[in-house]
Amino acid sequence: GVDAGDLIAMGLVNQDSGHIFYGFSQANEMVGGRPVSHLWSYGNGTPTYGFEDTYAVGDADFNDSVFSLIFSNPPV
């Protein structure tokens, strides 16, 4: 269940390394004393996001998994 105050976040599993990277930096590894963000918002007018799937952000291209979320009302 989900309780008040719980954080719900997207996550990506790297099947090769077994690492799990989350959509909020505080849940990820630290690099240079700072938490690393693995989720990028493309900010192009639609809710489009990209994940980086390598520990310490690897090549930082954020195109390892790209997706959009579109919310709408269900058909009547």
Side-chain angles (χ1 to χ4, degrees), residues 6-75:
D6 285 353
L7 293 175
I8 301 171
M10 293 177 277
L12 178 75
V13 178
N14 181 317
Q15 294 294 324
D16 294 330
S17 69
H19 287 109
I20 302 172
F21 304 112
Y22 293 97
F24 63 102
S25 59
Q26 294 83 353
N28 296 318
E29 73 277 14
M30 303 277 279
V31 173
R34 301 182 72 188
V36 174
S37 178
H38 283 268
L39 183 65
W40 175 265
S41 171
Y42 282 89
N44 59 359
T46 63
T48 302
Y49 303 93
F51 261 106
E52 177 56 50
D53 70 346
T54 307
Y55 193 81
V57 190
D59 58 9
D61 59 9
F62 294 91
N63 68 357
D64 301 302
S65 178
V66 177
F67 57 94
S68 293
L69 300 175
I70 299 172
F71 300 98
S72 63
N73 292 325

